[in-house]
């Protein structure tokens, strides 16, 4: 693994150290599963490559989850329809545009917050959050009963696209989602690791996010 001096230089916590060691062990055994954008893809079997992977892990893990500023201009016809068909008062339309942009920004944050919340509990049970897409199409890994478990987490049952589904076909990647899109009911009771059922919940997720931003 990495040298103790490297961990000291990067001020790595015990929890981060365990996660890095597990992640590098998995990628050393399965280098083809390393997710890496751009050129100069590191080799997890070399010390330099392991350092690059660990550095990306730390940067991604420590990066705060913040909303992205909207980059598109709202369609004016949407506002017109809200006024004409849904009978919203015209003097509310500009305010509603801003509210809609905020709602979209918040919706885009939920997936990352969900993974961060699960990590806050699951890491004590050996699960590693694969931040920065370091493992292709996988959000969490763990080593149990002498074998690797790979988990893909989604916010809703209809949020997986066809490409990620195709990649998972024929692999051992498990899938779990938080909510049912048609009923709004949650799926925490079906979390794949039964040790975490009861420890993870919707109320605790909400409290976690409150504590994160307040």
């Amino acid at each position: 693994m990495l040298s103790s001096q490297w961990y000291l230089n990067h001020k790595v916590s015990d929890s981060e150290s365990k996660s890095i060691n597990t992640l590098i062990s998995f990628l050393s055994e399965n280098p083809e599963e390393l997710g890496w954008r751009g050129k100069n893809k590191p080799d997890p079997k070399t010390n330099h490559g392991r350092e690059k992977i660990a550095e990306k892990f730390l940067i991604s893990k420590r990066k705060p989850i913040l909303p992205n500023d909207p980059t598109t201009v709202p369609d004016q016809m949407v506002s017109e329809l809200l006024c004409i068909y849904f009978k919203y008062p015209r003097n509310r339309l500009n305010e509603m545009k801003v509210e809609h942009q905020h709602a979209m920004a918040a919706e885009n944050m939920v997936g990352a917050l969900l993974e961060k919340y699960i990590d806050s509990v699951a890491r004590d049970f050996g699960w590693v959050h694969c931040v920065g897409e370091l493992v292709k199409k996988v959000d969490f890994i763990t080593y149990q009963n002498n074998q690797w478990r790979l988990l893909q987490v989604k916010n809703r049952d209809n949020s997986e696209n066809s490409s990620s589904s195709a990649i998972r076909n024929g692999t051992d990647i498990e899938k779990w989602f938080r909510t049912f899109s048609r009923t709004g009911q949650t799926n925490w009771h079906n979390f794949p690791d039964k040790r975490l059922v009861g420890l993870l919940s919707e109320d605790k997720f909400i409290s976690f996010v409150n504590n994160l931003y307040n």
Side-chain angles (χ1 to χ4, degrees):
M1 292 302 165
L2 303 178
S3 68
S4 56
Q5 188 60 49
W6 188 93
Y7 288 109
L8 287 173
N9 291 342
H10 290 79
K11 298 179 181 179
V12 179
S13 68
D14 289 341
S15 175
E16 290 171 333
S17 175
K18 291 178 181 177
S19 294
I20 289 171
N21 289 340
T22 300
L23 180 63
I24 288 177
S25 292
F26 173 77
L27 290 173
S28 294
E29 295 178 22
N30 305 276
E32 71 282 357
E33 298 302 327
L34 173 62
W36 197 270
R37 293 182 178 180
K39 299 178 180 179
N40 302 318
K41 185 175 182 179
D43 183 352
K45 294 184 178 181
T46 68
N47 190 61
H48 177 70
R50 290 191 290 268
E51 287 182 355
K52 295 294 289 184
I53 292 168
E55 287 168 3
K56 183 175 181 179
F57 173 87
L58 290 176
I59 291 170
S60 300
K61 190 171 183 62
R62 295 171 178 177
K63 183 179 180 180
I65 300 172
L66 301 172
N68 292 322
D69 293 330
T71 58
T72 58
V73 177
D75 188 338
Q76 180 60 31
M77 185 53 69
V78 173
S79 294
E80 293 298 324
L81 283 170
L82 288 172
C83 180
I84 296 168
Y85 186 84
F86 293 100
K87 307 304 180 185
Y88 284 97
R90 187 167 291 278
N91 62 5
R92 278 268 291 127
L93 294 182
N94 285 335
E95 182 181 0
M96 290 174 66
K97 282 182 183 180
V98 175
E99 291 172 350
H100 176 65
Q101 289 176 323
H102 288 172
M104 291 182 65
E107 185 176 2
N108 290 335
M109 295 169 66
V110 174
L113 289 169
L114 174 62
E115 292 181 23
K116 192 175 185 70
Y117 165 61
I118 293 173
D119 174 55
S120 72
V121 178
R123 62 185 175 222
D124 290 336
F125 293 82
W127 286 94
V128 175
H129 187 195
C130 301
V131 289
E133 300 180 2
L134 282 169
V135 180
K136 295 176 183 177
K137 303 302 178 182
V138 172
D139 300 310
F140 292 89
I141 62 171
T142 189
Y143 193 71
Q144 294 179 0
N145 302 319
N146 297 317
Q147 62 181 359
W148 293 103
R149 289 185 69 182
L150 314 180
L151 177 62
Q152 185 185 85
V153 167
K154 296 293 180 183
N155 190 48
R156 313 204 86 185
D157 59 349
N158 65 345
S159 59
E160 182 180 51
N161 59 41
S162 58
S163 62
S164 61
S165 176
I167 288 173
R168 199 182 64 252
N169 290 340
T171 73
D172 295 322
I173 302 176
E174 302 172 61
K175 181 188 174 185
W176 175 83
F177 58 87
R178 167 178 159 255
T179 57
F180 293 88
S181 57
R182 292 186 178 275
T183 65
Q185 297 296 309
T186 63
N187 195 35
W188 294 105
H189 61 286
N190 283 322
F191 196 81
D193 190 332
K194 300 307 177 186
R195 299 173 300 170
L196 298 177
V197 173
L199 298 179
L200 296 168
S201 72
E202 192 68 10
D203 286 342
K204 291 178 181 178
F205 181 29
I206 293 171
S207 295
F208 175 82
V209 175
N210 267 285
N211 291 333
L212 198 63
Y213 293 110
N214 292 316

